[in-house]
Amino acid sequence: MRSALILAFSIFFSTLAIGQIPFQRVHTDVGNIGFSMTNAGTIGDPRARANPQGPPSMEYPLNSGIEHLFEGGLWIGAIFNGQTVVATGSVDAANGYVTGGSGFEFSPASPFTQRSSFTESDFYTPSAISHQDFVVTYTDSFTVVPGTSIPIQDHNLPLKAVVRQESYAWNFSFADYFVILNYTITNRSNASWDSVYLGMWTDLVVRNINITQETGSNFFNKGGGGVIDSLFAIYAYQISGDDVDYTRSYGASQVLGIDYRNMYFHPNNAANLQSAGFTAPKVNYNFWNFRDFSGGGAFAAPGNDQERYVKMSRSMTEAQLSSLNTPSNRTQLISIGPIPRIAPGETVKFALAMVCAKQIPDGTGNSDTRVARKELAENLNWSRRTYLGEDINENGILDPKEDLNGNNRIDRFILPEPPANPRVKIVAENGKAQIYWNRASVTSIDPITKQQDFEGFRIYKTNVGDDLDLNLSGDLKLIASFDSAGNNIGFNNGFSAIELIEPVTFDGDTTRYYFRYEVNNLLNGWQYMFAVTAFDKGNEQFNLQSLESSRSGNATHRVFTGTKPQADNNQIGVYPNPYRGTAAWDGASSRNRKIYFYNLPSRATITIYTIAGDVIKTMEHNAATYNGEDIQWFRTYGAGSNKVFSGGEHAWDLLSTNNQLVSHGLYMYSVRDLDNNATYTGTFSIIR
């Protein structure tokens, strides 16, 4: 059984320094996937399951609580100086990464640096590949943790591999669900690595950590898995558990390819490789029971380098892979090889994708069918297309018409680009929301066509109650569209209805906002999400359809309309009043309930009493800082830092100071205005 104890690293830096390079953990947040990595060669964040409000591990959609990964790491297997050696970034370990722990063989060689292709980003650089790149270097060269006397357990024969890891993440609507890991691996030893396999070990665990109450082995033993061999991917999903109806998701790892001696090393290029004298490469798939070192059977865990190398070099049979649709606690390994030899000083590049997708209901009640995997297959196709870039026919050769930018080399990690996402500001008011955005989309240029091809904007909104399925960004629905007049694209309705005469700015925000759209008839106290996207004209010459920017790029604001702060305290009240057992917005548990105090002053103390005058709860309200995080409802259904409130409302979860659910009856409250000491009192009732 895995312990619930997870090492207490901070979000980015541990207090433990490894030589001059401290341990560091970062995560992506630019798209709709929150993916964690460390400069010790691990991926994922084992702490996430015990800390739903902390940083993500491999969360999709972002801020949903649906996690897909406990931990993982790069594996490099080779015959080295006559011995079988596998350098491992991570292995089956109950608590995840431990400094000097067995199987955690890489040590940091640099801190992370960040890059972005967004011109408005603080990390913008022309050398960036994606909207959010993280770059780091680590090595297995040390047998003792640098700067300490701590030996790295069971790590006596390093390959002396130096790994430069680059990760790429985008916020495009067609590419915001995967992260690509691009490894540059160099042999810094004085001997060749022979019969080399490269792979990714993962402990893919799909659970909704905002909902599940299961801990220990019960958290991990509900998973199923499978393989999509045509897309060179291995995946996991949830079969059962107390949160299964709130999850319905896939997590996957996918081999994209290797650049070896200027050749594309991949099964899809087998014919060219064989004609050059190489053995055709193969992608291998393996699952095993977590820490089952019984030594027998295909599902036994490898306990040493020899057994790990066997796993890397062989794949499970189709019959074995077809048995993965029963719940169990399994880990996964996807690998590719053999690379015949990597000489001293030689470098290869190895690319993988970590991909998420929602399950598609197929009407049969089965959780893993071809229909259920439809979105997963589409997402894997996009990650593969992104990697291939200009190498459309996958032969590793720059063929005629493939050189889109005229630099006479194959460029990978290329996506056609829609216009830049607008920067959005939302103001919540009484029964309505004002959406403002800037002009960044209008002037953006597509990197492939080199044209300024902006066409228009689309505005999306969720409906009341959508938040209860924990997939708000997936529930966005089109409510308005505006596009350029004078062509045959769209409605030709122009922008006069949304374009401001003069741009506006807001306190503490230097952005100039040129457009505004007002959404009316909203219900106070309910949660809404809005998104503004931009779309382009497309391009027949390059066979590109019209592309739209990502809804998740600015759909991070969770908006709660309501009353503004009031100077006249005579209008303070409570809704719903009476509260009848549950409100329509309540969650499934008694801890996910709420009522609202409205027309509050900007700063106030709210005190709730029994009819006998006993104090039940005291709350401090500050319109400038209120985010709802003092009650469970917002932590479950409104997770994320970008919540927008009107300022004059404050929610209460019907729990006393001692965290006990209050009974039915009549209650009194007082609100003291902290700016003028005026006090207003009132009553409300709870009916079971």
Side-chain angles (χ1 to χ4, degrees):
M1 179 182 293
R2 308 183 193 199
S3 166
L5 177 64
I6 304 296
L7 293 180
F9 295 125
S10 65
I11 294 177
F12 294 108
F13 290 95
S14 168
T15 57
L16 172 66
I18 303 178
Q20 298 300 310
I21 309 297
F23 179 89
Q24 189 181 11
R25 192 187 300 276
V26 299
H27 66 269
T28 63
D29 58 9
V30 70
N32 210 14
I33 180 172
F35 181 74
S36 177
M37 301 158 280
T38 76
N39 62 345
T42 68
I43 60 173
D45 188 344
R47 306 167 303 170
R49 69 185 180 98
N51 183 22
Q53 305 310 312
S57 182
M58 183 175 163
E59 184 184 32
Y60 176 82
L62 199 63
N63 297 319
S64 68
I66 303 173
E67 286 288 1
H68 301 77
L69 177 66
F70 179 72
E71 193 168 57
L74 175 70
W75 282 20
I76 306 170
I79 306 302
F80 178 55
N81 283 327
Q83 298 188 57
T84 301
V85 180
V86 179
T88 54
S90 182
V91 297
D92 300 12
N95 295 319
Y97 175 82
V98 176
T99 302
S102 179
F104 300 100
E105 297 180 348
F106 290 109
S107 299
S110 80
F112 279 97
T113 58
Q114 186 172 347
R115 307 179 305 207
S116 176
S117 59
F118 280 140
T119 56
E120 295 185 354
S121 169
D122 292 339
F123 302 100
Y124 171 73
T125 172
S127 63
I129 303 297
S130 71
H131 297 150
Q132 189 175 44
D133 301 356
F134 284 111
V135 182
V136 73
T137 303
Y138 45 85
T139 179
D140 80 325
S141 299
F142 302 105
T143 58
V144 174
V145 177
T148 77
S149 59
I150 303 171
I152 301 175
Q153 298 177 38
D154 304 317
H155 184 47
N156 302 314
L157 185 58
L159 285 174
K160 295 191 176 179
V162 174
V163 181
R164 175 184 168 92
Q165 175 188 302
E166 299 189 4
S167 66
Y168 311 135
W170 291 263
N171 79 351
F172 297 146
S173 57
F174 51 89
D176 64 358
Y177 38 73
F178 63 79
V179 173
I180 289 179
L181 299 170
N182 187 27
Y183 297 101
T184 301
I185 303 170
T186 303
N187 177 0
R188 292 300 185 191
S189 75
N190 58 6
S192 293
W193 304 340
D194 295 316
S195 299
V196 180
Y197 288 85
L198 303 176
M200 174 62 73
W201 172 84
T202 51
D203 190 355
L204 293 168
V205 181
V206 183
R207 298 300 301 263
N208 191 316
I209 60 174
N210 282 344
I211 301 298
T212 182
Q213 300 297 309
E214 293 180 319
T215 59
S217 61
N218 286 331
F219 180 87
F220 296 93
N221 62 14
K222 305 299 191 298
V227 164
I228 303 181
D229 189 42
S230 61
L231 293 167
F232 307 97
I234 198 166
Y235 65 86
Y237 62 98
Q238 183 180 354
I239 294 178
S240 59
D242 58 357
D243 59 316
V244 66
D245 291 331
Y246 297 92
T247 306
R248 305 298 185 194
S249 193
Y250 288 106
S253 55
Q254 178 186 33
V255 166
L256 298 176
I258 295 174
D259 180 0
Y260 174 64
R261 298 184 179 178
N262 296 318
M263 291 178 292
Y264 174 53
F265 197 81
H266 189 275
N268 283 355
N269 195 34
N272 289 331
L273 292 167
Q274 287 175 312
S275 66
F278 295 102
T279 300
K282 185 175 182 292
V283 174
N284 297 314
Y285 313 100
N286 282 278
F287 293 76
W288 58 79
N289 298 323
F290 179 78
R291 296 191 64 79
D292 176 8
F293 300 116
S294 60
F299 290 95
N304 54 50
D305 278 5
Q306 290 74 23
E307 293 174 358
R308 290 169 185 148
Y309 186 83
V310 169
K311 293 283 190 184
M312 296 190 79
S313 59
R314 300 177 188 173
S315 190
M316 299 181 80
T317 66
E318 289 188 15
Q320 291 162 345
L321 293 171
S322 67
S323 68
L324 298 171
N325 56 359
T326 56
S328 185
N329 182 359
R330 306 183 188 94
T331 62
Q332 311 83 23
L333 174 68
I334 188 168
S335 56
I336 181 174
I339 300 170
R341 172 167 292 187
I342 300 177
E346 189 172 12
T347 293
V348 298
K349 291 187 175 182
F350 172 43
L352 288 147
M354 302 301 296
V355 184
C356 291
K358 299 300 292 181
Q359 287 183 331
I360 306 300
D362 68 351
T364 68
N366 296 322
S367 56
D368 183 43
T369 62
R370 184 180 294 273
V371 172
R373 294 190 298 270
K374 181 176 183 293
E375 183 175 296
L376 176 61
E378 292 172 351
N379 292 0
L380 290 166
N381 267 313
W382 265 110
S383 56
R384 179 144 195 77
R385 176 176 175 178
T386 303
Y387 167 76
L388 290 172
E390 294 176 334
D391 189 16
I392 297 171
N393 61 4
E394 299 188 57
N395 65 357
I397 300 170
L398 188 64
D399 294 312
K401 297 184 179 181
E402 287 186 340
D403 191 8
L404 298 177
N405 57 10
N407 64 357
N408 296 315
R409 68 168 186 265
I410 291 176
D411 290 298
R412 300 198 182 277
F413 313 109
I414 291 180
L415 282 167
E417 291 194 14
N421 243 18
R423 177 169 290 183
V424 170
K425 170 78 174 181
I426 301 178
V427 178
E429 299 179 3
N430 191 0
K432 63 183 180 181
Q434 305 282 356
I435 307 173
Y436 297 84
W437 64 97
N438 69 355
R439 288 177 53 86
S441 314
V442 178
T443 57
S444 53
I445 297 175
D446 188 281
I448 292 180
T449 66
K450 308 302 181 185
Q451 295 176 0
Q452 186 173 306
D453 56 359
F454 167 80
E455 174 62 20
F457 299 108
R458 294 186 178 118
I459 303 167
Y460 295 85
K461 164 187 161 296
T462 60
N463 292 327
V464 294
D466 283 346
D467 43 19
L468 298 183
D469 68 5
L470 298 171
N471 185 27
L472 264 186
S473 61
D475 294 325
L476 287 162
K477 300 171 183 66
L478 182 68
I479 60 171
S481 183
F482 301 91
D483 66 276
S484 304
N487 59 33
N488 60 357
I489 301 172
F491 299 109
N492 290 303
N493 54 352
F495 305 110
S496 60
I498 57 173
E499 194 163 17
L500 297 170
I501 297 174
E502 295 290 338
V504 299
T505 59
F506 294 88
D507 290 343
D509 182 357
T510 59
T511 302
R512 293 161 65 87
Y513 296 97
Y514 287 82
F515 301 93
R516 181 185 63 195
Y517 183 81
E518 183 174 293
V519 185
N520 293 293
N521 301 314
L522 301 179
L523 298 180
N524 289 353
W526 288 85
Q527 180 174 210
Y528 296 90
M529 180 176 281
F530 301 95
V532 181
T533 66
F535 60 97
D536 62 25
K537 297 178 173 65
N539 189 289
E540 292 184 5
Q541 176 186 352
F542 290 90
N543 196 29
L544 293 177
Q545 296 179 340
S546 174
L547 296 176
E548 181 180 2
S549 65
S550 174
R551 301 177 201 175
S552 65
N554 54 49
T556 57
H557 300 83
R558 294 168 178 265
V559 181
F560 299 81
T561 61
T563 57
K564 290 288 189 180
Q566 302 293 316
D568 181 1
N569 299 337
N570 292 325
Q571 301 300 316
I572 293 171
V574 174
Y575 71 94
N577 186 13
Y579 177 89
R580 300 180 182 276
T582 60
W585 55 50
D586 286 350
S589 91
S590 61
R591 304 282 164 170
N592 283 309
R593 297 177 178 175
K594 61 185 168 100
I595 65 173
Y596 282 95
F597 293 86
Y598 67 94
N599 279 335
L600 295 171
S602 292
R603 300 189 314 118
T605 298
I606 306 166
T607 307
I608 302 163
Y609 308 85
T610 66
I611 200 67
D614 297 322
V615 174
I616 294 175
K617 183 80 172 184
T618 299
M619 300 179 293
E620 300 297 327
H621 176 74
N622 187 323
T625 60
Y626 178 67
N627 63 7
E629 291 293 319
D630 54 337
I631 70 171
Q632 181 64 40
W633 193 98
F634 291 97
R635 296 195 296 270
T636 300
Y637 300 104
S641 59
N642 294 322
K643 289 188 279 294
V644 178
F645 291 91
S646 58
E649 305 203 350
H650 195 113
W652 177 47
D653 56 6
L654 308 181
L655 297 177
S656 69
T657 300
N658 296 325
N659 213 29
Q660 298 298 311
L661 187 65
V662 300
S663 60
H664 66 278
L666 184 66
Y667 293 88
M668 301 184 297
Y669 65 88
S670 68
V671 175
R672 183 167 66 93
D673 189 327
L674 297 180
D675 291 322
N676 61 20
N677 274 329
T679 299
Y680 178 82
T681 61
T683 62
F684 65 93
S685 60
I686 299 174
I687 302 174
R688 298 296 186 201

